[in-house]
Amino acid sequence: MTAFISQDAPAKPQDRNVLSDGSSQVDFVLVWEEPQCLLDEESSSVSQDRRKWREKFLNKLKHSGLLLEQREVLQRKTRTCFVLLSAPWNVLCYYAEEIILRVPLQVVTSPIVNWSEQVLSRLSLRSPFSQDVPNPPPDYYTCQFRTNKLERFLGSEDQKNFFKMTQRHQVLYEILARTPYGSVKQGEVGIDRLLSEQVFTAAYPLHEGDFKVPDPTVPPQSLSLRQTLYTYWAKWCCWRRYQPLDHIRAYFGEKIALYFAWLGFYTGWLVPASAVGTLIFFVGFWLMATDVPAMEVCDSRNLIMCPLCNICTYWNYSSICVTYKVGLLFDNAGTVFLSVFMSLWAVTFLEYWKRTCSTLSHRWDCSQFEDIEERPRPEFAAMAPMTTKNPVTGAEEPYFPENKRFSRTLTGCMVILIMMIVVLMFLIAIILYRSILRIIIYKSGNKFVSLSAARIASLSGSVLNLLVILMLSRVYTSLAHTLTRWEMHRTQTKYEDMFIFKVFVFQFVNFYSSPVYIAFFKGRFVGYPGHYNTLFGVRNEDCGAGGCLIELAQELLVIMVGKQLINNVQEFICPKLRTWWQKKKIRPRPKDVKKEVGEETKGEVKGEAKGEVKGETKEEEQEEVSPWEADYQLLVCEGLFSEYLEMVLQFGFITIFVAACPLAPLFALINNWVEIRLDAQKFVSEYRRPVAERAQDIGIWFSILHCISHIAVLSNAFLIAFTSSFVPRLYYRYTKDSTLTGYINFTLASSPHNYSQQHMPCRLPQHSDNDKRTPCRSCNFVLVCRYRGFRDQDGKHLPEYYHLLAIRLTFVIVFEHVVFFIGRLIDMMVPDIPEEVEVKIKREHYMAKEALAENQALGKTMIPDEKDVRSKDLRQRAPRTSPPQSDSPPPNLKGIPEEPDTHGSC
């Protein structure tokens, strides 16, 4: 098992990411800036505290066994200090075993083929989406690393390359995150706290060389992994190609690779959804020319409609001819089929993603990560006040009392509730804004503007709502970070799940409150002429002349497409502007100063594990920009939360409200094609390299998507039943006239007689045009205005209203039961884990058992007894001053006397 696998490839450029000895790999870089004038800095007590914390932290790192070198670069006004960190072999082995890294046992020879390639290969066709990416990372059977079983692992004799670069980064970050620099009780632990306190300005692993392909062009096999990703993934010409997921995982880790795998999978599934939605949309064009009710609207010259607001004028129903026809593009019988299709599409998409995710997580050695392998968060491990045994592994782990966490979580929920109330207050404010703005426009006297008052008020309200949404999102996200950190969750997965849950609940209300109001509440509580309902003295909003569904489509397009455009512009322009500003701020050293600095700082290298390293090589002096300087000019990677949130909110728009906007899947597809390339370019060329993180799946985002798919079924059922004209048309077709002749008159009610006498203008020939608003008190007859509703002239509901209400409720029940039943059948028929993956999992378990087989005596010491596993005895933690140095026994722990309620006694 000691054979080393190597691939024949052309020689690659010399690695510059090394210490001055030319062999030790630079695994991490710490950076801080300080003014060249030390007198100004020394006068500040804050700067003195930062220097003290920094020196103490670096000393702790040195004592933990890391190799340190310091480099200094002079700018015009500041001095930038770089501390290069490298983990020697013994440190890597110790922490690899502690954080349960997985290492190779045997190469997997089975080829990895995409499902579409399999289908096309049977037809002897080449997939137009595939591409030959050079140097594919090999796939291995793996198991947990053990130092005493080192010789059984593949490539164990090559200490320099045995651990992957992403694994070295994980080890370094684990050490940095758990090393204290002050009082542990006050949370003075880890590099993240030091970055927030501005003790360090940056901490990052290095990229592997430049992303640009060298000139002259070299063979593809000679490209570095970063250059390969840029050439075969990040370029715009790769928009129709499959993503090189194994290369992404090898460079960025499993968590980022799973995000791009999910995004690509979701984008591919949007193709059939957008095709069906676009087809339904074009069916509306045919209905515009053939729909009988639309013809009746355009020919209704004598239908005088009641005013839509208190000071609005009467209007002719034929004036909305164009708007009514446009509404048929969104409101037609095809939307029922689209709603059923999208509901089943969402269920099927999630089921097949589970299969794909299980395949990827096994291939990437993460199928048991959350259950067994995930360690406590470094910050949690340093700050937790107690320890207890892990019920699965039997290992002693940090512990935080559940009752305290529950009280903190409850406080966080109260904050979420308050913020949701704030969102609803803004929603009410925007509703009042639309009503008041419509009145102001009508009073302006401008005839051209007055005719479009409702449309202007609605559109400007949508834009204002989008701005409010984006503003509140930023405020709450920062607040959620603080709350989640305070709750002290054990693992990174639980921490992120709780943070995501907090933010998404708020964002769900923030983004969807306005569409939900328009879809289900607007125009429902208006009243009828002479008896209108009011809100704060302002008459309740009624649906526009074209109905609420076209307003909902407008709101969705403004929020969804507007947000996508803003995000894409931000992702395309803002990183480039920020990179330009970062490079301008970090100006290169003047040439006359550079030589002087090289002489003065020669030998200013602070201690390694074996002593100080002095001097720099001539090659380093000749290089203008070192790798750590070049990466420092890049932007900080902001993580995947905002990327996931954008896509999940988009998923909600195209499923929950698809009945109102059939083009939503098409807009989502176009956006995602652009999104993949923008994100790829950011990670490869514009961001500092993030620390690789392991992940088993996409986390709580899957549960959120599953919940949205259920909400979408109910939402579309109510949209079709109560907001669209599908049910009234169906009722009229089967009870009145199958050709829908007279349908418009059927849906309009007449105003009460007393309202007509007080408000209806005279239409007699003797009245001039200037007297059109004069009430008909002296007229010989009264004209009656019409409004949408099923009421008699006394304002009471007609029998048809109750018939339609019963049919609508019945439709909702039948629709959701049928869709949920079919969705459940799909869930049962599609297994979560493919059969071939189950075989590989069993094979890997067998190989791991053979490789790590121990004698019975040793097995007893490593495998916890069932009695010990069930034990929940808690122990008070001793103060931890530094991370473990070697395989030493755990520190002494004080036992807590047994009490009936151990949690309550903590």
Side-chain angles (χ1 to χ4, degrees):
M1 296 294 291
T2 59
F4 177 67
I5 302 299
S6 62
Q7 297 181 348
D8 295 333
K12 296 184 179 180
Q14 184 180 3
D15 189 5
R16 297 174 59 199
N17 298 351
V18 292
L19 299 182
S20 58
D21 59 9
S23 60
S24 299
Q25 188 75 37
V26 176
D27 299 316
F28 229 89
V29 180
L30 303 180
V31 189
W32 74 89
E33 296 180 3
E34 53 189 20
Q36 292 196 32
C37 183
L38 296 178
L39 294 177
D40 294 340
E41 187 184 8
E42 291 175 356
S43 62
S44 171
S45 59
V46 176
S47 299
Q48 292 178 1
D49 291 338
R50 290 174 181 171
R51 188 184 303 109
K52 181 180 67 175
W53 287 340
R54 186 163 52 236
E55 292 176 354
K56 189 173 182 179
F57 186 74
L58 293 177
N59 288 331
K60 293 270 188 181
L61 295 180
K62 188 189 302 183
H63 292 315
S64 68
L66 297 182
L67 306 180
L68 282 73
E69 281 191 9
Q70 182 173 322
R71 308 291 175 87
E72 293 185 356
V73 177
L74 293 184
Q75 277 80 38
R76 298 185 182 275
K77 296 182 179 180
T78 61
R79 178 172 65 248
T80 304
C81 300
F82 298 88
V83 174
L84 312 182
L85 305 178
S86 178
W89 173 252
N90 60 335
V91 175
L92 288 173
C93 290
Y94 175 82
Y95 281 95
E97 191 167 347
E98 181 167 335
I99 65 177
I100 318 180
L101 292 183
R102 298 182 71 89
V103 289
L105 289 171
Q106 178 182 330
V107 177
V108 179
T109 56
S110 59
I112 301 170
V113 184
N114 193 285
W115 68 269
S116 61
E117 290 182 288
Q118 292 179 344
V119 174
L120 293 173
S121 64
R122 294 174 183 174
L123 302 175
S124 300
L125 297 175
R126 177 179 171 81
S127 173
F129 308 109
S130 63
Q131 60 178 340
D132 296 325
V133 184
N135 303 325
D139 188 17
Y140 299 103
Y141 288 116
T142 64
C143 71
Q144 298 177 10
F145 177 78
R146 291 289 185 271
T147 305
N148 57 355
K149 296 296 180 182
L150 182 62
E151 70 281 355
R152 301 193 180 186
F153 299 124
L154 203 61
S156 57
E157 73 278 2
D158 186 4
Q159 294 184 358
K160 183 177 180 181
N161 299 313
F162 179 71
F163 291 107
K164 297 182 292 187
M165 283 304 303
T166 52
Q167 292 178 327
R168 297 177 68 101
H169 298 163
Q170 291 172 14
V171 168
L172 264 292
Y173 182 75
E174 180 76 15
I175 297 173
L176 292 171
R178 67 164 63 173
T179 301
Y181 60 90
S183 172
V184 175
K185 291 184 178 181
Q186 297 180 6
E188 296 175 346
V189 178
I191 187 61
D192 292 331
R193 176 69 182 271
L194 289 171
L195 289 172
S196 64
E197 297 284 353
Q198 298 181 353
V199 177
F200 293 99
T201 57
Y204 52 88
L206 291 177
H207 277 292
E208 297 178 16
D210 194 6
F211 66 90
K212 296 180 180 178
V213 179
D215 193 21
T217 305
V218 299
Q221 290 76 14
S222 300
L223 298 176
S224 67
L225 187 53
R226 189 184 185 193
Q227 291 169 341
T228 301
L229 288 173
Y230 181 76
T231 305
Y232 294 91
W233 179 46
K235 286 188 175 180
W236 289 101
C237 61
C238 303
W239 66 272
R240 65 183 181 89
R241 301 294 188 182
Y242 290 127
Q243 301 180 89
L245 296 177
D246 290 317
H247 293 74
I248 299 171
R249 178 246 181 171
Y251 194 78
F252 293 110
E254 291 80 10
K255 190 172 186 178
I256 292 177
L258 276 173
Y259 163 71
F260 282 104
W262 176 81
L263 181 57
F265 188 83
Y266 170 49
T267 303
W269 274 72
L270 280 175
V271 174
S274 60
V276 174
T278 305
L279 178 63
I280 298 299
F281 180 77
F282 281 112
V283 167
F285 282 103
W286 175 73
L287 291 175
M288 289 174 64
T290 60
D291 189 63
V292 173
M295 297 178 184
E296 289 184 352
V297 171
C298 296
D299 296 336
S300 57
R301 304 293 180 184
N302 298 322
L303 279 179
I304 306 301
M305 302 298 293
C306 297
L308 294 176
C309 66
N310 288 335
I311 66 168
C312 300
T313 59
Y314 295 86
W315 51 287
N316 197 299
Y317 204 42
S318 61
S319 63
I320 66 165
C321 174
V322 176
T323 306
Y324 190 90
K325 287 185 175 181
V326 171
L328 293 175
L329 299 176
F330 306 97
D331 184 6
N332 55 67
T335 57
V336 181
F337 169 76
L338 181 62
S339 299
V340 176
F341 174 82
M342 289 301 296
S343 299
L344 298 178
W345 172 90
V347 174
T348 310
F349 159 70
L350 294 176
E351 288 302 317
Y352 275 92
W353 165 248
K354 280 196 292 188
R355 289 172 58 86
T356 302
C357 184
S358 64
T359 303
L360 291 175
S361 63
H362 174 259
R363 192 165 91 204
W364 295 342
D365 309 318
C366 295
S367 55
Q368 296 181 334
F369 174 68
E370 293 181 10
D371 298 330
I372 299 176
E373 300 173 12
E374 188 171 19
R375 297 284 298 165
R377 287 190 308 125
E379 186 179 0
F380 175 85
M383 297 179 61
M386 318 193 77
T387 62
T388 187
K389 282 189 177 181
N390 187 308
V392 178
T393 64
E396 198 78 17
E397 288 187 353
Y399 176 79
F400 188 80
E402 291 294 336
N403 56 344
K404 292 184 179 180
R405 182 182 291 118
F406 176 77
S407 61
R408 294 185 179 189
T409 304
L410 191 62
T411 304
C413 293
M414 296 300 295
V415 174
I416 295 176
L417 184 61
I418 293 173
M419 291 300 297
M420 290 169 61
I421 294 174
V422 171
V423 172
L424 296 179
M425 291 171 60
F426 274 101
L427 176 62
I428 294 173
I430 291 173
I431 294 172
L432 295 175
Y433 161 82
R434 283 197 291 252
S435 300
I436 295 171
L437 182 63
R438 180 186 294 183
I439 294 173
I440 293 174
I441 293 175
Y442 270 116
K443 286 185 175 180
S444 65
N446 189 321
K447 184 177 181 181
F448 176 77
V449 176
S450 298
L451 293 175
S452 304
R455 192 169 301 138
I456 293 173
S458 177
L459 186 60
S460 63
S462 299
V463 174
L464 180 61
N465 184 50
L466 175 61
L467 297 177
V468 170
I469 285 172
L470 297 177
M471 179 191 68
L472 290 177
S473 299
R474 289 184 174 273
V475 173
Y476 182 74
T477 301
S478 60
L479 180 60
H481 266 299
T482 304
L483 288 173
T484 311
R485 225 174 8 246
W486 181 57
E487 290 171 2
M488 288 288 291
H489 294 283
R490 174 181 169 271
T491 63
Q492 186 67 22
T493 300
K494 290 183 178 179
Y495 173 87
E496 291 180 356
D497 286 351
M498 288 304 299
F499 171 72
I500 291 168
F501 174 76
K502 286 184 181 67
V503 177
F504 182 78
V505 169
F506 170 77
Q507 295 285 38
F508 186 88
V509 177
N510 195 17
F511 275 90
Y512 297 146
S513 58
S514 182
V516 166
Y517 163 74
I518 294 174
F520 305 118
F521 297 99
K522 187 176 182 180
R524 308 291 176 192
F525 310 102
V526 177
Y528 59 94
H531 297 82
Y532 288 115
N533 300 321
T534 60
L535 176 66
F536 300 117
V538 179
R539 175 178 156 180
N540 287 352
E541 269 194 313
D542 197 357
C543 294
C548 278
L549 204 64
I550 192 170
E551 288 190 37
L552 177 60
Q554 170 192 292
E555 185 79 5
L556 292 176
L557 291 175
V558 169
I559 295 178
M560 177 182 165
V561 180
K563 183 177 182 297
Q564 290 177 351
L565 288 175
I566 292 174
N567 286 343
N568 287 334
V569 169
Q570 285 180 340
E571 292 182 10
F572 183 75
I573 296 178
C574 290
K576 291 177 172 53
L577 292 177
R578 290 163 60 191
T579 302
W580 171 80
W581 177 253
Q582 182 85 346
K583 291 181 179 179
K584 182 180 179 182
K585 186 173 65 172
I586 308 173
R587 294 180 179 178
R589 294 165 290 181
K591 292 184 179 180
D592 55 342
V593 178
K594 184 177 177 182
K595 295 181 180 180
E596 182 180 345
V597 172
E599 295 176 358
E600 290 180 358
T601 61
K602 218 175 195 182
E604 282 192 24
V605 179
K606 292 190 177 179
E608 293 183 355
K610 298 181 180 180
E612 294 186 352
V613 178
K614 297 184 178 181
E616 300 179 359
T617 62
K618 294 181 179 180
E619 289 81 359
E620 289 175 336
E621 291 179 349
Q622 292 173 357
E623 292 169 353
E624 292 186 359
V625 180
S626 60
W628 38 90
E629 289 181 70
D631 285 6
Y632 185 54
Q633 295 175 356
L634 300 178
L635 303 177
V636 179
C637 179
E638 298 175 351
L640 297 173
F641 170 75
S642 59
E643 311 295 343
Y644 269 120
L645 181 63
E646 180 184 355
M647 291 297 106
V648 171
L649 289 174
Q650 178 198 93
F651 181 84
F653 280 121
I654 68 171
T655 54
I656 295 177
F657 302 106
V658 70
C661 189
L663 289 179
L666 178 62
F667 288 121
L669 176 64
I670 296 172
N671 172 79
N672 289 6
W673 270 333
V674 177
E675 183 75 21
I676 291 176
R677 301 309 145 197
L678 288 177
D679 288 346
Q681 289 181 3
K682 286 191 303 184
F683 277 95
V684 174
S685 60
E686 295 172 355
Y687 280 166
R688 295 171 190 160
R689 189 174 185 177
V691 178
E693 295 183 58
R694 301 182 68 199
Q696 184 173 334
D697 47 37
I698 61 175
I700 198 175
W701 291 115
F702 182 84
S703 301
I704 292 174
L705 291 170
H706 194 260
C707 181
I708 289 176
S709 67
H710 283 73
I711 295 175
V713 176
L714 299 176
S715 173
N716 285 299
F718 278 97
L719 267 176
I720 295 169
F722 288 91
T723 308
S724 75
S725 61
F726 173 76
V727 172
R729 282 172 177 251
L730 202 64
Y731 175 80
Y732 188 84
R733 187 186 295 275
Y734 286 100
T735 59
K736 305 291 183 182
D737 192 320
S738 60
T739 63
L740 294 181
T741 302
Y743 171 76
I744 295 300
N745 188 63
F746 169 73
T747 59
L748 298 178
S750 300
S751 61
H753 292 289
N754 56 356
Y755 178 83
S756 301
Q757 291 176 354
Q758 296 176 9
H759 301 278
M760 192 66 191
C762 292
R763 295 290 179 180
L764 295 178
Q766 64 266 28
H767 288 270
S768 63
D769 291 340
N770 295 329
D771 295 330
K772 284 184 179 180
R773 296 193 184 187
T774 305
C776 287
R777 294 187 179 92
S778 59
C779 301
N780 295 327
F781 65 93
V782 175
L783 292 178
V784 177
C785 68
R786 310 293 295 275
Y787 64 98
R788 282 189 291 268
F790 296 95
R791 297 175 184 266
D792 57 21
Q793 285 201 320
D794 294 328
K796 297 181 179 179
H797 288 298
L798 295 172
E800 286 82 355
Y801 170 82
Y802 297 101
H803 295 166
L804 282 172
L805 180 62
I807 294 172
R808 282 167 167 162
L809 294 175
T810 303
F811 175 85
V812 170
I813 296 173
V814 172
F815 181 93
E816 59 95 6
H817 273 71
V818 169
V819 173
F820 281 139
F821 176 73
I822 298 176
R824 183 60 181 166
L825 286 180
I826 295 173
D827 188 8
M828 294 172 61
M829 290 188 298
V830 180
D832 293 345
I833 302 177
E835 184 178 355
E836 60 272 16
V837 175
E838 291 183 343
V839 173
K840 288 182 179 180
I841 292 174
K842 294 177 182 178
R843 169 68 177 167
E844 190 169 42
H845 284 175
Y846 171 77
M847 295 185 64
K849 182 179 179 181
E850 291 294 317
L852 301 181
E854 298 284 355
N855 58 47
Q856 186 176 4
L858 185 58
K860 289 181 179 180
T861 62
M862 295 185 64
I863 302 174
D865 184 67
E866 183 179 0
K867 183 178 179 181
D868 296 333
V869 169
R870 291 179 180 178
S871 175
K872 288 287 186 176
D873 293 341
L874 305 179
R875 299 164 179 82
Q876 194 69 30
R877 296 191 65 186
R880 183 171 184 172
T881 57
S882 63
Q885 310 294 324
S886 60
D887 296 327
S888 56
N892 294 328
L893 303 175
K894 291 184 179 181
I896 295 179
E898 294 185 1
E899 293 183 7
D901 185 5
T902 57
H903 291 280
S905 62
C906 298

